[in-house]
DNA sequence: GTAGGGTTAG
């Protein structure tokens, strides 16, 4: 029931059912009055339409869908705009059935309502319904074509998107920009670059799409090149462009560029929105300027979960783990709900502190919020548990992760290796290959380390051969160092020495120290002396080398050699570093 | 204040 203004009181009622069900006799009596009334009603709706609209909009903004629907139901003749608002509201709350029901109910539909409904289907994950509506839509606009094309790009069907792109009757700059962005999100970098090159109506969004897209796939240098080119061509960057550039600068530790942009933004009088704040916090943290990160954080107006997490992560990155955990607590206190990233960083800081107890507390909160099976949170938990001595718990977490990535597999393999569970590591590797994942440098290191800790020389040789043949993996110094370690631990000292001499990368002190350490285990004086000589060439003040060699002589009662080494050490003013240990 | 294009943290 609606309460109508005074004009309707002449009908004998101030309340009218919306269906206007009036008895026949009454109707005859009231006909002249009724016509007067209908004119009034029309005027009334016109007059009050904006207030309905703002009331509806308030409820929709506050996500009070059912409240909004009650208001909507009270509107005598809702216009296409109000219908559209409701349809969008339902779609945003993932209530696609309600949205569609209302959409079909609409007495008239314009391009906006059609396009909103198509977009709503896509947001709710129903591509085929979206396509069905698109096909049935009369008078498709360029927005309709863009929306459905974006849908196919979102769902990974690049070919269909390309077909739509070719077939659409009008292509404005937004369509081109969408296609460029879609190519990037589907890993088709070269196609994106090609399209950008041939497009004749580039605007700042086209440029920003290139900069952001290239940075996201790790071609950050190239992203900054595009930024330079854009500035050269006289296109003015927007705040979004600058956020992309700051993000890229943070990755490349280009503090100079970041600071320059910071100055520009301050000069232009932009306030630090959440995107700007988060990117600058990360830039300064990566460049080891936490004071500046804090300043940006304090200056930012809306501290959302991303801004808090950027600061928390920055602290962790700079080994300020206690501060990181304080920030995590303060974030909870201020009523911001942590997400996967916040938990990941908080857990990483627990790991940095080797504080399993606090890690478990945070894990409990993560479980309550349903993040335990998240791949990032899970990966952090694997490292935390394996580093803090609990390989079984680490493996249990690994098994629970829903969508394991390469980091999940690597962390578990490395954890097993560190715990001397060499066979587990090898089993995991086989499972990983069967699961269709491509092993990388870290997998390789983990496997060699597993072989080393479990004394599996033949297996290590096979892995070394396997990975040397794979083009996707670059064999680095650390891999040679691991292989030297396996050989040397197993007593193959000469072979280890040959490997160091013949490897294509320059050996460092650590590799030779590995060999020297193994020589003392196996009492091999010849190789030990040669290794010590190499270390001396690389670092004349390496106390570890002197100590190892001296211990080797001492173990064979060669006391004159021991005092010779001690004398040499004294002459070169080398002092043995004292050992430290700590207990929590 | 009702439709399509670029952005932040792990």
């Amino acid at each position: 029931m609606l309460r109508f203004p005074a004009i309707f009181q002449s009908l004998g009622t101030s309340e009218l059912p919306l269906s206007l069900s009036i008895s026949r006799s009454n109707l005859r009596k009231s006909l002249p009055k009724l016509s007067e009334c209908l004119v009034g009603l029309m005027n009334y709706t016109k007059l009050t339409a904006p207030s309905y609209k703002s009331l509806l909009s308030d409820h929709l903004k506050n996500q009070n869908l059912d409240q909004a629907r009650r208001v909507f139901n009270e509107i005598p003749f809702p216009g296409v705009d109000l219908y559209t608002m409701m349809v969008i509201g339902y779609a945003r709350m993932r209530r696609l059935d309600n949205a569609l029901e209302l959409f079909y109910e609409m007495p008239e539909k314009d391009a906006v309502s059609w396009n909103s409904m198509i977009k709503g289907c896509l947001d709710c994950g129903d591509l085929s319904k979206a396509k069905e509506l698109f096909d049935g839509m009369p008078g498709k606009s360029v927005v309709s074509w863009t929306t459905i094309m974006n849908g196919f790009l979102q769902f990974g069907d690049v070919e269909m998107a390309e077909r739509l792109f070719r077939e659409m009757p009008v292509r404005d700059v937004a369509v081109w920009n969408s296609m460029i962005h879609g190519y990037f999100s589907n890993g088709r970098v070269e196609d994106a670059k090609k399209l950008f090159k041939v497009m004749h109506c580039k605007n700042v969004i086209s440029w920003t799409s290139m900069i952001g897209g290239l940075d996201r796939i790790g071609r950050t240098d190239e992203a900054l090149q595009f930024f330079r080119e854009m500035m050269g061509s006289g296109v003015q960057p927007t705040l979004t462009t600058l956020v992309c550039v700051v993000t890229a600068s943070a990755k490349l530790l280009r503090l100079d560029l970041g600071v320059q942009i910071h100055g520009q933004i301050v000069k232009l009088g932009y306030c630090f929105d959440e995107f700007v704040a988060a990117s600058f916090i990360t830039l300064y943290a990566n460049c080891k300027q936490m004071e500046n990160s804090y300043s940006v954080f304090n200056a930012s107006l809306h501290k959302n979960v991303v801004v808090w997490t950027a600061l928390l992560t920055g602290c962790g990155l700079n080994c300020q783990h206690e501060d990181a955990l304080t920030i995590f607590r303060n974030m909870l206190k201020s009523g911001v709900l942590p997400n996967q990233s916040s938990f990941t960083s908080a857990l990483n800081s627990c790991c940095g502190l080797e504080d399993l107890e606090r890690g478990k507390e945070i894990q409990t909160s993560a479980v309550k919020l349903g993040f335990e099976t998240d791949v990032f949170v899970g990966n952090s938990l694997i490292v935390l548990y394996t580093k803090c001595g609990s390989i079984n718990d680490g493996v249990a977490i690994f098994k629970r992760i829903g969508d394991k990535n390469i980091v999940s597999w690597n962390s578990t393999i490395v954890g097993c290796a560190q715990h001397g569970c060499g066979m587990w590591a090898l089993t995991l590797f086989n499972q990983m290959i069967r699961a269709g994942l491509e092993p990388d440098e870290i997998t390789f290191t983990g496997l060699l380390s597993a072989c080393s800790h479990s004394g599996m020389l033949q297996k290590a040789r096979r892995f070394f051969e396997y990975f040397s043949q794979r083009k996707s993996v670059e064999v680095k110094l650390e891999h040679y160092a691991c292989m030297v370690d396996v050989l040397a631990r197993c007593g193959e000292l000469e072979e280890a020495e040959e490997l160091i001499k013949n490897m294509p990368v320059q050996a460092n002190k650590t590799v030779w120290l590995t060999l020297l350490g193994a020589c003392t285990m196996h009492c091999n004086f010849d190789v030990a002396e040669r290794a010590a000589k190499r270390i001396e060439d690389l670092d004349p003040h390496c106390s570890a080398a002197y100590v190892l060699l001296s211990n080797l002589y001492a173990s064979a009662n060669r006391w004159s050699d021991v005092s010779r080494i001690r004398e040499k050490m004294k002459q070169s003013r080398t002092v043995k570093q004292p050992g430290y240990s700590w207990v929590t």
Side-chain angles (χ1 to χ4, degrees):
Chain A
M1 299 286 268
L2 257 182
R3 191 160 288 279
F4 286 99
I7 189 168
F8 301 118
Q9 307 236 333
S10 55
L11 262 179
T13 174
S14 61
E15 281 182 344
L16 258 180
L18 278 178
S19 55
L20 287 169
S21 56
I22 298 168
S23 75
R24 214 171 268 269
S25 59
N26 269 346
L27 186 65
R28 200 171 300 121
K29 265 191 274 171
S30 319
L31 209 54
K33 281 182 185 169
L34 187 62
S35 68
E36 185 191 332
C37 172
L38 281 173
V39 173
L41 184 64
M42 299 304 281
N43 287 335
Y44 173 75
T45 6
K46 258 188 223 155
L47 278 173
T48 52
S51 63
Y52 275 130
K53 199 168 181 173
S54 71
L55 193 58
L56 196 63
S57 147
D58 281 348
H59 287 314
L60 290 171
K61 240 183 251 163
N62 298 329
Q63 306 194 335
N64 285 328
L65 243 316
D66 297 315
Q67 194 70 33
R69 185 60 195 253
R70 272 192 286 278
V71 172
F72 181 80
N73 285 344
E74 287 185 0
I75 304 172
F77 301 107
V80 62
D81 52 347
L82 299 181
Y83 266 105
T84 309
M85 277 170 83
M86 278 308 297
V87 165
I88 293 170
Y90 277 128
R92 285 196 183 142
M93 296 300 286
R94 301 287 140 118
R95 287 165 65 170
L96 186 58
D97 290 341
N98 293 122
L100 283 167
E101 196 186 345
L102 208 57
F103 178 72
Y104 289 125
E105 213 178 81
M106 286 174 78
E108 50 168 343
K109 303 177 181 70
D110 64 1
V112 177
S113 44
W114 275 100
N115 294 338
S116 303
M117 194 62 250
I118 294 171
K119 181 69 175 20
C121 292
L122 294 170
D123 289 344
C124 295
D126 196 339
L127 176 62
S128 56
K129 188 76 200 167
K131 183 67 168 48
E132 186 193 309
L133 285 170
F134 174 78
D135 289 336
M137 174 179 176
K140 301 173 182 63
S141 71
V142 63
V143 177
S144 325
W145 285 91
T146 317
T147 308
I148 196 68
M149 186 188 86
N150 275 338
F152 282 100
L153 288 167
Q154 249 176 58
F155 285 79
D157 190 344
V158 183
E159 280 63 40
M160 186 62 189
E162 282 173 326
R163 225 178 86 189
L164 289 160
F165 183 73
R166 274 195 308 270
E167 285 173 3
M168 60 181 80
V170 181
R171 273 192 294 265
D172 63 5
V173 61
V175 180
W176 286 79
N177 291 343
S178 269
M179 198 63 212
I180 289 178
H181 184 246
Y183 272 138
F184 272 117
S185 35
N186 285 282
R188 304 262 295 257
V189 191
E190 292 314 313
D191 289 317
K193 285 178 75 175
K194 237 183 267 170
L195 205 62
F196 179 79
K197 211 172 170 185
V198 299
M199 84 185 271
H200 47 272
C201 52
K202 299 178 183 69
N203 64 7
V204 63
I205 297 180
S206 331
W207 285 98
T208 308
S209 302
M210 290 304 294
I211 297 167
L214 285 166
D215 178 48
R216 245 179 300 131
I217 55 149
R219 285 160 65 163
T220 308
D221 273 314
E222 221 176 314
L224 289 183
Q225 258 171 23
F226 270 85
F227 176 61
R228 270 189 295 275
E229 214 181 299
M230 181 190 106
M231 295 305 276
S233 73
V235 175
Q236 281 305 305
T238 62
L239 211 51
T240 306
T241 321
L242 296 179
V243 167
C244 289
V245 176
V246 172
T247 306
S249 309
K251 280 190 201 154
L252 296 177
L253 307 181
R254 285 284 309 271
L255 187 61
D256 54 329
L257 188 57
V259 167
Q260 224 175 311
I261 291 169
H262 194 155
Q264 283 286 318
I265 290 179
V266 170
K267 223 196 282 177
L268 290 168
Y270 285 126
C271 61
F272 269 29
D273 76 351
E274 63 203 58
F275 288 88
V276 179
S279 63
F280 275 111
I281 290 170
T282 307
L283 167 80
Y284 288 122
N286 286 1
C287 297
K288 306 201 180 305
Q289 298 199 347
M290 279 313 291
E291 285 309 309
N292 286 329
S293 291
Y294 279 106
S295 305
V296 172
F297 178 80
N298 292 328
S300 71
L301 293 175
H302 298 291
K303 295 176 177 60
N304 69 357
V305 60
V306 179
V307 174
W308 278 98
T309 307
L311 188 67
L312 155 61
T313 310
C315 285
L317 198 75
N318 287 287
C319 300
Q320 300 170 1
H321 299 303
E322 283 293 351
D323 294 337
L325 294 181
T326 307
I327 289 162
F328 186 68
R329 263 199 310 277
N330 290 340
M331 174 178 154
L332 297 178
K333 265 190 219 161
S334 75
V336 173
L337 198 69
N339 64 12
Q340 292 94 321
S341 300
S342 334
F343 279 114
T344 303
S345 294
L347 288 168
N348 287 347
S349 278
C350 293
C351 191
L353 293 166
E354 302 196 17
D355 190 338
L356 187 57
E357 284 316 303
R358 266 197 284 182
K360 282 181 175 171
E361 279 170 31
I362 292 174
Q363 182 187 6
T364 310
S365 317
V367 172
K368 279 183 193 156
L369 289 169
F371 293 138
E372 202 200 17
T373 51
D374 175 79
V375 63
F376 283 99
V377 177
N379 291 349
S380 295
L381 283 168
I382 293 172
V383 179
L384 175 71
Y385 276 114
T386 55
K387 198 177 169 194
C388 296
S390 188
I391 182 66
N392 289 321
D393 290 323
V395 173
I397 297 281
F398 170 77
K399 286 184 181 162
R400 281 204 286 273
I401 296 178
D403 200 8
K404 301 174 183 65
N405 63 13
I406 180 86
V407 179
S408 327
W409 289 95
N410 284 348
S411 305
T412 316
I413 289 174
V414 169
C416 289
Q418 285 164 348
H419 284 266
C421 308
M423 283 316 289
W424 287 17
L426 269 48
T427 308
L428 279 167
F429 175 69
N430 288 329
Q431 288 176 359
M432 175 182 168
I433 298 297
R434 274 204 298 275
L437 273 96
E438 186 68 29
D440 65 5
E441 279 93 1
I442 298 170
T443 324
F444 186 17
T445 310
L447 290 168
L448 289 177
S449 148
C451 294
S452 168
H453 286 97
S454 304
M456 301 185 289
L457 178 58
Q458 294 315 318
K459 292 239 163 33
R461 283 197 169 111
R462 289 234 298 278
F463 280 127
F464 206 84
E465 206 176 315
Y466 173 85
F467 278 99
S468 300
Q469 285 162 357
R470 291 185 81 89
K471 286 198 181 74
S472 58
V473 175
E474 189 192 345
V475 183
K476 291 182 179 158
L477 177 63
E478 65 195 69
H479 302 122
Y480 284 101
C482 281
M483 195 62 212
V484 167
D485 185 48
V486 186
L487 286 166
R489 273 174 194 255
C490 294
E492 301 293 340
L493 298 166
E494 276 84 8
E495 190 182 337
E497 190 184 6
E498 279 310 302
L499 181 64
I500 301 177
K501 283 187 193 160
N502 296 328
M503 61 194 198
V505 279
Q506 183 70 46
N508 63 6
K509 190 176 80 177
T510 316
V511 179
W512 286 108
L513 272 172
T514 304
L515 181 61
L516 178 55
C519 288
T520 62
M521 266 163 52
H522 295 283
C523 291
N524 186 319
F525 293 94
D526 291 346
V527 179
E529 278 159 6
R530 287 198 293 271
K533 181 76 192 65
R534 295 287 190 139
I535 297 166
E536 202 185 332
D537 293 342
L538 290 163
D539 175 14
H541 302 288
C542 177
S543 59
Y546 288 115
V547 172
L548 282 170
L549 197 58
S550 158
N551 287 350
L552 174 61
Y553 287 133
S555 68
N557 294 322
R558 287 169 60 169
W559 302 109
S560 61
D561 286 317
V562 172
S563 34
R564 182 169 56 82
I565 299 293
R566 293 255 165 103
E567 190 54 37
K568 207 169 165 184
M569 205 169 156
K570 224 184 262 172
Q571 275 168 12
S572 65
R573 292 204 188 87
T574 303
V575 189
K576 181 181 175 288
Q577 297 294 319
Y580 290 98
S581 59
W582 70 311
V583 179
T584 26

